[in-house]
Amino acid sequence: MRGYRVWTGILAGIALLPAVSAARPPQGVQRARPLGVEVIDNSQYIDINRIKMWVTNTGSFAWDKGTGNSGLEFPKGTGKTAVFAAGLWLGGLVGGSIRIAVAEYSDEYGPGAMVGGVADNPNRPEYKVYKLDRVYADPAVRDAVLADYEAGAEPYGAPDVEVQADGTLNVLGDQMMWAVYNDADPANHTNRAGTTSPLGIEVQQTTFAFNRLDALGNTIFIKYRLINKGGNTIDSMFVSQWSDPDLGGFTDDLVACDVATSMGYCYNATNNDGLYGSAPPAVGYDFFQGPTVGGTPLGMTSFNKYINGTDPDDAQKTYNYMRGLNADGTPLVNPVTGQVTTYFFGGGDPVSASGWLDTNPFDRRLMLSSGPFTMAPNDTQEVVVAIIVGQGTNRLSSITQLRCDDALAQSAFDQNFQLASPPNAPAVTVSPRGGSIYLSWDSASESYSDPLYQWEGYVVYQGASIAGPWTRVATFDRNDGITTVLDDFCDLASGVILKRVSAQGSDAGVAYQIEVTQDIVNGGPLRVAQPYYYSVNAYAVGIGQVPQVLESAFQPLTVVPQTPAAGVDWGVAAITSGPTYGQTNPALAPTTDSIQVRVVDPDKVLDASYRVGYKPGPTGAPVWYVVRTTATSTDTVVNNWFNYSGDENYPVFDGVQVKLFGAAYKALLSADLVDVGPNPPALAGVDVDLGFFNDAADYAFNLFGSALDPANVTLFNSVEIRFSASATPDATWQRGYRYMRSATTPRTYLLQDYVDVPWTVWDIENNRQLNAGWLENEATANGVWDPDTTEATLGNRELIWPMASTYNPAIDPYYTDPSRDDALNESDQIDFQWVLWPWRTVTGGVPTPFDAGDKFAFILANRSANDYFTFTTRAANRLNLGLARSELDRVRAVPNPYFAHSRYELNQFGKVVKFTHLPARCTVRIFTLGGTLIRTLEKNDAGTSQVTWDLETSRGLPVASGIYIFHVDAPGIGTTTGKVAIFMERERLTNF
């Protein structure tokens, strides 16, 4: 029946309530903070990947001591929890007597190091939990965090951390935490599972995790460094990883262990968990490195479990559990095999339903232990444990996923965590619009450098929730032939490793923006006011590596399509002037590039002016940059950009995209006659299969050869041959090296002399006059440059060769040095840049005269620090009062009517009605039809046009079904009213 939910009983209802979804500690044990005056640091959690887990400086983790709630959230951001509490337990014999240290619901460790065999002052501020990331966006923040760590943690045994060449920190993983604690204070030994004399152990705990899409994104590692500073030899010692898992709903947990891999784990009894629903995960603990005995690290040597209410209540029971015995000390017997074992459910496999299985779902505790070993005074042991969460499509496939993830985590440990890192995720800017979502991102991830992988592109995903699953929306990748790439993945149905697509490029090119209009997950258009989830990831590819694709982890963004706040006028956001071209030195050749500036995100446009300029890049070819100037600052917003192709590989900044278009640097764009008139063109080209001007002009290298190879673009410049209208030598003439072809030796052009020629040659990029050579036909030589008047005679072979050297009116000894004479008579040894092979046209029966200003130009793609463009922008109007007043009648309550639930709700407990198209600042008051005010909502945010009502009164009570009046009061703008119909869901208890 629509509008009704039937609850089958009080217990079923209770199991759904988040406030009671965690197990209680055993009777008589309080969840309050441990006794003593220590500074217990409960402020830190590790959260770099899909797990968020609390970490303390007293041996406890995965428990939020501040609230007493579960302390391991998975997936991060969902509010779903897989572990209530966990901690380090130690036990051994000193002089034959049991000594125990536990971190359970009250911890027997205190913060700090041990000094002189006793606990140091635990109140010292440096005995806190330290947290460091590998990557910091702000170097100042990184340096401050590192300085604090170096001063307070490293003197007490923390790993040495330094800034690397790429600006990152060399921490373990992508996020690392460190704390030191000890059990040396007898006053802390009050937990009923212990309550013994101290062992005298100092623990230096390093907790770290990787921000990755693979199994390491579901894993947290803990490295315990145990140091015996108490002065006593500890015999028959065990180290145990204890946990109260509470996998979602805490009453339906089962446990098991995989002896061969040293992993103990918790899984769900059904596919109907109160918190995770039909796909509950499995959570495991693995001893990757146990204590070392005889030079060999131990693995898990026992696995034990008990249920809430049967927790060990003395040290003997605890020690028996560590040894793999029953609480009373009797041996543990596998009922399937009849054999004595130290592993509860050892050999059982829930996935295949074989062997000894846990069949009594309840609120479980688990403990995996490693030992025995001996610690003499000052001995040190290092133990590495991992917490892994695997989630499949149901409870058993989650075990399969957990095992696959555990194998990859083991591989990472075996490689000593020397793993290639994926690129960092880009910084994403989001602009919701009515019916669409605009995403843009930066290019910082492209500085990625790894010897085995190359940065490849970006992937845009949409998530079904903030934790996924994720569907690919688009890939923007380099055009380099790398498209679909396969990697090994765990097949949940078979448990076998199979190949699967891990990258799906298209060689369409890199881009930095996308406007999404369709709901890829559910189909259809995006709906206004409904939340959607997106992530933009960067990835790198190493063909032949394992894996071949490294992709940054998901960075979920919650975006709600909506119109701008009433009164926000995006229409005025615009380019208000330019782009305008300018030169530092107008005498130099202008750039051959063109520019396009457009507004792509009006919400982010600023009141600012911009200058687009060039500078030399690392290869010598110019790159470009953009400098922004506002009323308060001047900043570089684009730097060292390289693209001139006109594709989409251009950054977006301040809501604007700038594109510079142009050919490759120093590419020859044209070689042509520029005729200014009034006489007809005086020259034409002799077709000799060159590249320009009727195949009569090109690089000199491409005709008879040159010392200048076009492959080296830096050797060439844009050049003009400026012809003289004067019949006799004057300032419009220069001297040229006259060559004639050798009659006996091919490709040899003998230098004759240095004579006046009726033209000058100029490097127009640098306003520099150049030397030039010219060729005269040996059969008709007269010492004058005078091409013939027909193409049939090849213009009498009167070629012009602009050189690269600066013009010298006197003959240059370089070209006449006898020791170089032979070499310089070979055309491929002379610094010829260009060649023009012309013939003279005829007008009125005589050679067409040149006009002053006639020239032949060899134009290269040119850009230099001499060139720049400027433009200005205007921001959107954030408060157009007239527009705001005219839009008040667009305010709506959605959905309206509200029937039991809305598409905006994430679960059955959080009711949501939204008021849309509100002004930036307003008050929404909700009344009954009788005029009673039941709720007031305040809004003061120009970044959204919506406000949410949770269908509760101001006293936190759910409203009744009915018609309600809402009144919107926007100061300085006006007021509006409307109605919303609410039909609340009836909840009925059928069992009591």
Side-chain angles (χ1 to χ4, degrees):
M1 179 180 295
R2 179 179 294 179
Y4 290 83
R5 177 183 293 117
V6 178
W7 287 3
T8 58
I10 294 176
L11 287 179
I14 291 174
L16 294 173
L17 295 177
V20 293
S21 64
R24 295 185 177 91
Q27 184 176 3
V29 176
Q30 301 297 316
R31 284 183 178 167
R33 297 174 178 83
L35 300 176
V37 296
E38 297 96 337
V39 180
I40 309 301
D41 189 349
N42 190 59
S43 65
Q44 298 285 14
Y45 45 80
I46 191 163
D47 62 345
I48 196 66
N49 57 23
R50 297 186 74 211
I51 299 174
K52 177 181 177 181
M53 186 181 82
W54 294 90
V55 178
T56 73
N57 58 350
T58 57
S60 170
F61 62 90
W63 181 35
D64 183 359
K65 289 185 175 185
T67 63
N69 291 328
S70 299
L72 188 148
E73 181 185 32
F74 177 87
K76 177 181 66 181
T78 63
K80 299 176 181 179
T81 54
V83 176
F84 179 75
L88 173 68
W89 289 26
L90 299 173
L93 303 178
V94 175
S97 298
I98 296 174
R99 297 194 183 186
I100 298 290
V102 303
E104 196 197 33
Y105 308 105
S106 63
D107 301 336
E108 296 190 324
Y109 304 97
M114 291 177 63
V115 178
V118 298
D120 195 13
N121 177 8
N123 295 297
R124 297 180 63 165
E126 57 263 47
Y127 291 149
K128 63 181 179 179
V129 179
Y130 294 84
K131 180 177 180 179
L132 301 91
D133 290 336
R134 183 177 65 86
V135 178
Y136 287 89
D138 186 345
V141 174
R142 175 201 65 199
D143 293 345
V145 171
L146 180 58
D148 181 51
Y149 174 85
E150 289 175 332
E154 289 186 1
Y156 297 98
D160 179 56
V161 174
E162 297 176 344
V163 179
Q164 304 301 288
D166 62 357
T168 63
L169 298 181
N170 63 330
V171 298
L172 280 170
D174 292 307
Q175 189 175 80
M176 185 182 84
M177 306 178 75
W178 187 87
V180 59
Y181 50 89
N182 67 85
D183 85 315
D185 187 349
N188 289 327
H189 285 259
T190 59
N191 189 298
R192 66 178 187 168
T195 318
T196 67
S197 297
L199 287 157
I201 298 293
E202 177 182 301
V203 183
Q204 298 170 6
Q205 177 178 321
T206 305
T207 309
F208 58 99
F210 294 85
N211 186 22
R212 298 169 67 112
L213 283 186
D214 56 25
L216 297 185
N218 302 329
T219 304
I220 294 175
F221 297 92
I222 300 179
K223 181 183 290 187
Y224 299 109
R225 188 166 185 253
L226 312 176
I227 308 173
N228 183 0
K229 292 188 175 181
N232 296 310
T233 296
I234 307 171
D235 295 314
S236 303
M237 187 173 175
F238 290 84
V239 56
S240 301
Q241 185 59 72
W242 170 89
S243 180
D244 177 359
D246 284 9
L247 193 62
F250 66 90
T251 60
D252 57 354
D253 291 347
L254 299 172
V255 297
C257 70
D258 289 346
V259 176
T261 60
S262 292
M263 182 173 69
Y265 58 93
C266 174
Y267 63 103
N268 221 62
T270 71
N271 289 324
N272 186 28
D273 183 74
L275 197 59
Y276 284 102
S278 61
V283 58
Y285 297 84
D286 192 329
F287 267 120
F288 287 138
Q289 177 178 300
T292 299
V293 176
T296 302
L298 301 175
M300 177 178 67
T301 57
S302 72
F303 178 77
N304 226 310
K305 65 88 187 174
Y306 52 91
I307 63 173
N308 188 2
T310 66
D311 307 67
D313 53 12
D314 62 43
Q316 183 65 63
K317 293 178 181 177
T318 298
Y319 191 60
N320 288 339
Y321 277 148
M322 290 179 169
R323 296 163 62 201
L325 305 172
N326 290 307
D328 60 5
T330 58
L332 184 62
V333 178
N334 183 327
V336 175
T337 65
Q339 300 296 312
V340 172
T341 181
T342 58
Y343 302 99
F344 248 104
F345 312 121
D349 182 4
V351 176
S352 62
S354 61
W356 184 16
L357 300 178
D358 190 358
T359 57
N360 180 29
F362 205 71
D363 182 11
R364 287 279 186 266
R365 317 282 194 263
L366 63 82
M367 180 191 301
L368 53 159
S369 304
S370 186
F373 58 99
T374 298
M375 290 195 77
N378 298 314
D379 275 359
T380 298
Q381 289 279 3
E382 191 169 274
V383 175
V384 181
V385 178
I387 305 97
I388 308 166
V389 185
Q391 187 168 31
T393 56
N394 56 56
R395 70 185 190 100
L396 296 182
S397 69
S398 290
I399 298 174
T400 300
Q401 186 66 61
L402 175 66
R403 287 168 171 164
C404 290
D405 290 353
D406 179 55
L408 182 58
Q410 179 71 58
S411 175
F413 172 80
D414 293 342
Q415 297 175 61
N416 197 28
F417 304 108
Q418 299 302 305
L419 309 173
S421 297
N424 297 324
V428 182
T429 300
V430 178
S431 289
R433 301 172 179 176
S436 71
I437 291 168
Y438 177 80
L439 305 171
S440 62
W441 52 92
D442 69 4
S443 62
S445 73
E446 295 171 36
S447 61
Y448 175 80
S449 177
D450 185 274
L452 301 177
Y453 292 84
Q454 70 173 26
W455 185 92
E456 184 63 22
Y458 300 102
V459 188
V460 181
Y461 294 95
Q462 181 187 342
S465 70
I466 198 169
W470 298 93
T471 300
R472 188 178 68 90
V473 176
T475 300
F476 303 101
D477 63 315
R478 286 177 168 168
N479 184 4
D480 57 5
I482 298 174
T483 53
T484 300
V485 184
L486 304 180
D487 269 319
D488 292 340
F489 286 88
C490 181
D491 180 67
L492 297 182
S494 64
V496 175
I497 301 298
L498 300 175
K499 295 292 184 184
R500 194 176 78 187
V501 173
S502 55
Q504 194 169 352
S506 61
D507 273 359
V510 174
Y512 300 91
Q513 59 176 323
I514 186 173
E515 184 171 8
V516 182
T517 60
Q518 296 296 306
D519 183 345
I520 303 299
V521 172
N522 302 301
L526 298 182
R527 297 175 178 269
V528 172
Q530 180 167 328
Y532 295 90
Y533 310 96
Y534 292 90
S535 180
V536 181
N537 299 1
Y539 72 100
V541 174
I543 300 299
Q545 302 302 309
V546 180
Q548 296 192 106
V549 176
L550 294 175
E551 185 171 332
S552 63
F554 290 105
Q555 305 290 329
L557 300 163
T558 303
V559 194
V560 180
Q562 56 187 288
T563 57
V568 173
D569 185 1
W570 282 351
V572 303
I575 310 298
T576 54
S577 68
T580 302
Y581 174 67
Q583 290 180 283
T584 304
N585 182 356
L588 303 183
T591 181
T592 54
D593 289 344
S594 58
I595 188 171
Q596 178 193 81
V597 182
R598 64 191 182 109
V599 171
V600 293
D601 187 0
D603 189 56
K604 301 297 187 295
V605 176
L606 305 176
D607 290 320
S609 61
Y610 298 84
R611 180 183 174 107
V612 183
Y614 300 91
K615 64 180 181 178
T619 64
V623 294
W624 54 275
Y625 61 89
V626 182
V627 174
R628 175 189 62 211
T629 300
T630 66
T632 58
S633 66
T634 297
D635 302 285
T636 299
V637 291
V638 176
N639 200 13
N640 297 320
W641 207 255
F642 53 86
N643 192 18
Y644 300 91
S645 68
D647 61 11
E648 290 305 309
N649 189 1
Y650 290 84
V652 174
F653 56 91
D654 302 341
V656 172
Q657 185 182 53
V658 171
K659 289 186 176 183
L660 288 178
F661 302 81
Y665 181 55
K666 293 289 188 178
L668 181 56
L669 299 181
S670 65
D672 207 351
L673 183 68
V674 180
D675 178 68
V676 298
N679 292 309
L683 292 180
V686 176
D687 184 353
V688 286
D689 293 328
L690 296 178
F692 297 86
F693 192 53
N694 189 38
D695 298 334
D698 209 331
Y699 292 95
F701 186 90
N702 293 336
L703 185 59
F704 299 139
S706 167
L708 308 184
D709 187 339
N712 187 347
V713 297
T714 62
L715 301 176
F716 294 83
N717 300 99
S718 295
V719 168
E720 288 180 355
I721 305 171
R722 299 172 184 174
F723 297 101
S724 174
S726 172
T728 58
D730 62 9
T732 62
W733 289 46
Q734 73 174 50
R735 302 179 75 190
Y737 295 93
R738 184 169 67 100
Y739 292 89
M740 285 197 300
R741 182 175 55 179
S742 170
T744 58
T745 308
R747 294 173 60 87
T748 298
Y749 299 85
L750 302 176
L751 177 61
Q752 304 300 308
D753 47 26
Y754 196 41
V755 299
D756 292 322
V757 289
W759 32 260
T760 57
V761 178
W762 293 85
D763 167 4
I764 61 174
E765 293 178 27
N766 301 292
N767 195 27
R768 179 175 62 105
Q769 190 170 359
L770 301 178
N771 285 316
W774 62 282
L775 180 66
E776 188 167 35
N777 190 338
E778 65 278 6
T780 57
N782 60 2
V784 177
W785 181 80
D786 55 351
D788 200 349
T789 57
T790 66
E791 185 176 10
T793 63
L794 302 179
N796 211 20
R797 302 177 64 91
E798 302 269 332
L799 285 67
I800 300 176
W801 280 305
M803 293 174 169
S805 54
T806 301
Y807 177 61
N808 186 348
I811 191 165
D812 193 327
Y814 178 84
Y815 296 103
T816 59
D817 186 344
S819 66
R820 296 176 178 162
D821 187 61
D822 291 341
L824 291 174
N825 280 327
E826 298 291 334
S827 57
D828 59 3
Q829 298 299 316
I830 309 173
D831 63 335
F832 294 149
Q833 288 195 76
W834 310 108
V835 63
L836 170 63
W837 193 328
W839 60 275
R840 290 293 295 271
T841 62
V842 176
T843 301
V846 298
T848 306
F850 288 101
D851 296 302
D854 285 353
K855 59 188 176 182
F856 193 94
F858 295 88
I859 301 300
L860 293 169
N862 177 49
R863 55 186 70 102
S864 72
N866 182 57
D867 307 300
Y868 62 88
F869 299 89
T870 58
F871 65 94
T872 60
T873 58
R874 180 179 59 217
N877 186 344
R878 295 290 169 183
L879 185 56
N880 183 326
L881 292 177
L883 180 63
R885 294 186 183 106
S886 70
E887 293 183 332
L888 275 179
D889 60 357
R890 294 178 60 189
V891 175
R892 297 286 186 273
V894 290
N896 190 7
Y898 173 92
F899 284 111
H901 61 84
S902 74
R903 61 177 178 267
Y904 313 130
E905 296 167 1
L906 301 179
N907 54 57
Q908 67 267 43
F909 304 108
K911 306 296 185 181
V912 175
V913 165
K914 293 188 176 185
F915 297 96
T916 66
H917 207 72
L918 295 169
R921 180 169 171 258
C922 63
T923 301
V924 181
R925 296 180 177 90
I926 304 167
F927 300 86
T928 65
L929 283 177
T932 301
L933 176 66
I934 63 166
R935 187 68 180 271
T936 300
L937 305 173
E938 298 288 349
K939 179 182 182 296
N940 188 10
D941 182 3
T944 179
S945 61
Q946 303 177 0
V947 71
T948 297
W949 178 29
D950 58 7
L951 299 189
E952 292 183 356
T953 69
S954 57
R955 295 186 178 183
L957 300 174
V959 300
S961 298
I963 307 295
Y964 292 87
I965 306 295
F966 64 85
H967 177 269
V968 179
D969 181 8
I973 297 174
T975 62
T976 189
T977 60
K979 296 179 181 179
V980 56
I982 305 297
F983 296 91
M984 296 294 285
E985 182 179 33
R986 282 180 54 186
E987 296 175 348
R988 181 173 55 183
L989 299 179
T990 58
N991 291 354
F992 298 88

